[in-house]
Amino acid sequence: METTMTTAVPKLTTLHPRISSNSFSLRFSLTFPAKKTALVKHTCSPSHVPLRVSASSQSQAAAEATKVSSIPSEMKACVYGEYGGVEVLKFDDKVSVPEVKEDQVLIKVVAAALNPVDAKRRQGKFKATDSPLPTVPGYDVAGVVVKVGNQVKELKEGDAVYGNINEKALEGPKQSGSLAEYTAVEEKLLALKPKNLDFIQAAGLPLAIETAYEGLERTGFSAGKSILVLNGAGGVGSLVIQLAKHVFGASRIAATSSTGKLELLKSLGADLAIDYTKENFEDLPEKFDVVYDAIGQCDKAVKVVKEGGSVVALTGAVTPPGFRFVVTSNGNTLKTLNPYLESGKIKPVVDPKGPFTFSQVAEAFSYIETNRATGKVVIHPIP
């Protein structure tokens, strides 16, 4: 049973979306042109603090660990007590810090990322199998271990880690998620943060890279096969391209995106970048061994798969021979892929509009719900 959080309604204040043209001093794996387009029109602006992030895991972890002199009983968190739109998101500074079970560690959250499942869960689309309300949302986390359970074997206090905190995305996800100062996570769901990545980059990886990897494995994808990735510039799609190329040995990779993201697709490893605003991929003369549909167009995807091939559908209606799966979080997957991340063969893609500050969570949710994000939407810093 998950820890019950204290979320007294009088202490909640709405998390208003906020806009700012200020930027952080960060170096991402991939760079994009700066954009100043406001997503939501509000006059208020967040208090951005210039930040420099070291590439050294040890120095990062040490710096973050020194901020935690003692573990408090209450923490700041983003909370919702009812299902609905972004307006249900509240800020509460009196949420109980989750208790640590014997197989868990307590993480001081440095960065967290949003996923489409976060939005669908908040909207109440998984009520039947969800944890009780109120909920602290958030699946992806990167941070520092500050406490370990009695049965934890490998991780120790001070370790910089990352992971998807919910083993099953839809079956009883944690009531106390990653959009808070602290979160408790089973050791088996975590891995040490890649040494060359900062916390922001690491936070955007877990759920997306686990989904990309498991989907490819389920299709039996292997060296010499071809693949078409729909929404190749998205959080999952951008990683499917890289995994297919560098881990699975794809012979040919095609991917779709809007006009402005075609060069990104090529830089990730796509042999054919398709502008979906100008071309219909289902009219392509060639067929593919696998189509990885990360956008919800399975009815069209099945038209370009070879006989005997597979279509992975992450969202939307499924048309045979397409199939859908729900990812199982597994720290061993992250451990397997860490060498590819540390060598630079696989690069995280963080949306250029981010990172969003903790006070901009509502805006960040609104943004991912447009389905136009490039790579992952990350929240940092977490108070």
Side-chain angles (χ1 to χ4, degrees):
M1 184 177 294
E2 303 295 342
T3 304
T4 303
M5 300 180 295
T6 58
T7 51
V9 174
K11 297 173 183 174
L12 302 180
T13 54
T14 303
L15 275 172
H16 293 290
R18 299 180 174 186
I19 308 296
S20 172
S21 60
N22 294 344
S23 60
F24 288 91
S25 175
L26 294 171
R27 178 173 293 177
F28 294 102
S29 296
L30 296 172
T31 57
F32 304 84
K35 295 182 181 180
K36 297 184 179 180
T37 305
L39 294 168
V40 187
K41 293 183 179 179
H42 283 269
T43 56
C44 53
S45 61
S47 54
H48 281 304
V49 180
L51 173 73
R52 291 189 179 275
V53 181
S54 168
S56 166
S57 287
Q58 291 184 345
S59 61
Q60 282 182 298
E64 294 297 334
T66 56
K67 297 178 183 178
V68 186
S69 56
S70 62
I71 300 171
S73 60
E74 296 179 330
M75 63 181 180
K76 298 174 183 177
C78 172
V79 182
Y80 57 87
E82 60 182 317
Y83 295 115
V86 295
E87 70 278 356
V88 303
L89 295 166
K90 309 293 179 182
F91 178 80
D92 188 357
D93 60 1
K94 298 295 182 182
V95 175
S96 295
V97 172
E99 294 180 3
V100 179
K101 298 178 181 177
E102 290 187 340
D103 62 341
Q104 292 181 330
V105 301
L106 185 67
I107 297 174
K108 175 65 178 73
V109 181
V110 179
L114 298 184
N115 294 278
V117 68
D118 288 293
K120 293 176 181 178
R121 181 186 179 195
R122 191 205 68 233
Q123 291 162 1
K125 294 185 178 180
F126 312 124
K127 285 182 183 179
T129 56
D130 200 1
S131 57
L133 294 171
T135 295
V136 173
Y139 284 66
D140 284 331
V141 68
V144 178
V145 174
V146 294
K147 185 177 180 180
V148 298
N150 293 333
Q151 294 179 7
V152 172
K153 298 176 181 178
E154 297 180 11
L155 296 177
K156 62 185 184 303
E157 292 181 16
D159 281 344
V161 296
Y162 74 128
N164 166 10
I165 72 169
N166 294 305
E167 184 171 13
K168 299 292 184 181
L170 310 181
E171 299 173 21
K174 288 183 174 63
Q175 187 178 9
S176 187
S178 60
L179 288 175
E181 289 185 273
Y182 297 89
T183 191
V185 191
E186 291 78 9
E187 181 184 32
K188 68 180 181 179
L189 306 184
L190 300 168
L192 293 175
K193 180 178 69 64
K195 295 180 177 65
N196 59 318
L197 302 184
D198 59 47
F199 285 101
I200 294 168
Q201 294 166 317
L205 284 168
L207 191 150
I209 204 167
E210 289 171 347
T211 301
Y213 186 82
E214 186 174 339
L216 288 168
E217 278 202 319
R218 284 173 176 263
T219 68
F221 198 74
S222 58
K225 291 187 176 182
S226 60
I227 186 170
L228 169 63
V229 185
L230 304 185
N231 192 24
V236 174
S238 61
L239 290 163
V240 172
I241 293 172
Q242 297 182 78
L243 291 176
K245 182 179 182 68
H246 297 293
V247 179
F248 290 85
S251 60
R252 181 165 171 78
I253 302 172
T256 65
S257 76
S258 57
T259 311
K261 300 175 182 178
L262 297 176
E263 289 305 314
L264 171 62
L265 299 186
K266 294 175 184 176
S267 73
L268 295 174
D271 302 296
L272 175 63
I274 304 165
D275 186 343
Y276 72 78
T277 69
K278 299 177 181 178
E279 302 176 71
N280 296 319
F281 69 84
E282 65 269 28
D283 296 333
L284 287 171
E286 64 178 307
K287 307 295 183 184
F288 300 87
D289 294 301
V290 169
V291 180
Y292 204 119
D293 175 19
I295 195 65
Q297 297 180 319
C298 189
D299 57 333
K300 297 178 181 179
V302 296
K303 297 178 181 179
V304 290
V305 69
K306 292 179 181 178
E307 185 175 350
S310 300
V311 176
V312 186
L314 296 185
T315 186
V318 177
T319 304
F323 71 92
R324 177 180 294 142
F325 75 98
V326 178
V327 66
T328 299
S329 177
N330 189 339
N332 285 331
T333 298
L334 301 178
K335 293 174 185 176
T336 297
L337 298 175
N338 267 1
Y340 295 92
L341 291 159
E342 292 185 342
S343 69
K345 288 184 178 179
I346 298 176
K347 299 177 175 63
V349 182
V350 176
D351 190 277
K353 287 184 171 60
F356 291 77
T357 65
F358 193 61
S359 61
Q360 291 177 298
V361 168
E363 179 192 341
F365 263 105
S366 294
Y367 184 37
I368 64 165
E369 289 170 45
T370 66
N371 291 321
R372 293 177 181 174
T374 300
K376 291 306 296 292
V377 172
V378 179
I379 308 298
H380 174 85
I382 304 291

